[in-house]
């Protein structure tokens, strides 16, 4: 069975986006603006991911920038590497409101939980799930094996929460902590089964 990880940047008060989907507190779609070290961590994660699952909103944000980021004037070697890795990584977008996706991506319009369950049962590398609404459905269904939070020292007071309301507790084990420049803290937790 493939491992499913929910990995996102998050504010100290638990939001992945401020009101009006504002990502400015984290550098938006440009993770490199945080620190070279953290950007490399995200790039290495993309390289190691067997499949990425996107909700529509985050897909639209990422696909508006990364497919051509390596062709932009002034693109750094790190941005070029990340853009190529992101384009090559197999992706699935879950949405009933868009009808076309590109860049090694497949669109699913049906039952997200059923499809994620099927994908987890396949052979292959680890799966990352990104986007609050999609991850919330997987969280409520008990499908997430690991949570990776990259917490920024900022309070935004509202927006899109990282965690959803749950029907029951989920007990976790801490497996990693790491501090990055600017006080950004990475924590990884595995779900106790």
């Amino acid at each position: 069975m493939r491992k499913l990880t929910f990995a996102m940047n998050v504010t100290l008060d638990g939001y992945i986006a401020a009101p009006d989907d504002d990502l400015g507190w984290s550098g938006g779609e440009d993770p490199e603006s945080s620190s070279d070290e953290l950007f490399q961590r995200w790039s290495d994660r993309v390289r190691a991911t067997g499949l990425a699952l996107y909700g529509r909103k985050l897909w639209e944000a990422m696909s508006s920038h990364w497919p051509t980021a390596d062709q932009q004037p002034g693109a750094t070697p790190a941005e070029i590497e990340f853009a190529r890795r992101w384009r090559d990584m197999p992706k699935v977008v879950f949405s009933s409101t868009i009808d076309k996706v590109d860049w090694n991506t497949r669109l699913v319009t049906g039952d997200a939980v059923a499809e994620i369950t099927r994908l987890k049962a396949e052979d292959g590398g680890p799966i990352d799930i990104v986007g609050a609404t999609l991850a919330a459905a997987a969280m409520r269904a008990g499908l997430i094996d690991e949570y990776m939070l990259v917490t920024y020292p900022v309070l935004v007071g509202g927006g899109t929460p990282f965690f959803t309301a749950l029907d029951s507790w989920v007990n976790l084990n801490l497996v990693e902590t790491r501090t990055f420049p600017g006080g950004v803290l990475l924590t990884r937790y595995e779900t106790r089964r």
Side-chain angles (χ1 to χ4, degrees):
M1 181 168 279
R2 299 168 87 172
K3 181 178 186 179
L4 179 63
T5 301
F6 179 27
M8 295 282 300
N9 292 334
V10 61
T11 65
L12 185 60
D13 53 349
Y15 297 97
I16 62 170
D20 297 322
D21 294 325
D22 184 351
L23 300 173
W25 54 269
S26 70
E29 297 87 48
D30 180 13
E32 188 173 25
S33 66
S34 303
S35 77
D36 292 342
E37 187 180 357
L38 179 57
F39 185 71
Q40 189 61 52
R41 174 69 183 239
W42 281 117
S43 186
D44 291 345
R45 183 160 191 90
V46 167
R47 182 185 65 221
T49 299
L51 179 65
L53 310 180
Y54 280 87
R56 180 193 51 83
K57 279 186 180 181
L58 193 56
W59 164 254
E60 288 175 343
M62 294 293 284
S63 67
S64 71
H65 178 75
W66 288 112
T68 59
D70 58 334
Q71 301 161 21
Q72 300 305 312
T76 67
E79 288 171 320
I80 291 167
E81 177 183 58
F82 184 90
R84 289 178 180 160
R85 287 176 176 176
W86 187 85
R87 269 195 317 265
D88 292 346
M89 175 181 57
K91 297 170 282 300
V92 175
V93 175
F94 293 83
S95 176
S96 59
T97 60
I98 59 176
D99 57 10
K100 184 177 183 274
V101 292
D102 292 313
W103 308 289
N104 202 21
T105 306
R106 179 172 62 89
L107 179 64
V108 173
T109 58
D111 183 342
V113 170
E115 181 64 8
I116 295 167
T117 301
R118 186 188 72 74
L119 291 168
K120 277 190 69 171
E122 291 181 344
D123 289 332
I127 303 172
D128 275 2
I129 187 168
V130 292
T133 303
L134 180 62
M139 214 180 296
R140 283 189 299 274
L143 296 174
I144 298 179
D145 302 301
E146 182 179 301
Y147 296 86
M148 186 178 107
L149 293 82
V150 177
T151 306
Y152 283 71
V154 61
L155 304 172
V156 297
T160 306
F162 181 89
F163 291 105
T164 186
L166 297 170
D167 297 328
S168 60
W169 292 10
V170 176
N171 293 308
L172 307 169
N173 291 320
L174 178 65
V175 294
E176 180 184 7
T177 61
R178 183 171 171 193
T179 303
F180 290 91
V184 175
L185 178 65
L186 177 143
T187 51
R188 287 181 39 234
Y189 298 88
E190 288 183 345
T191 303
R192 273 192 241 158
R193 303 243 186 242

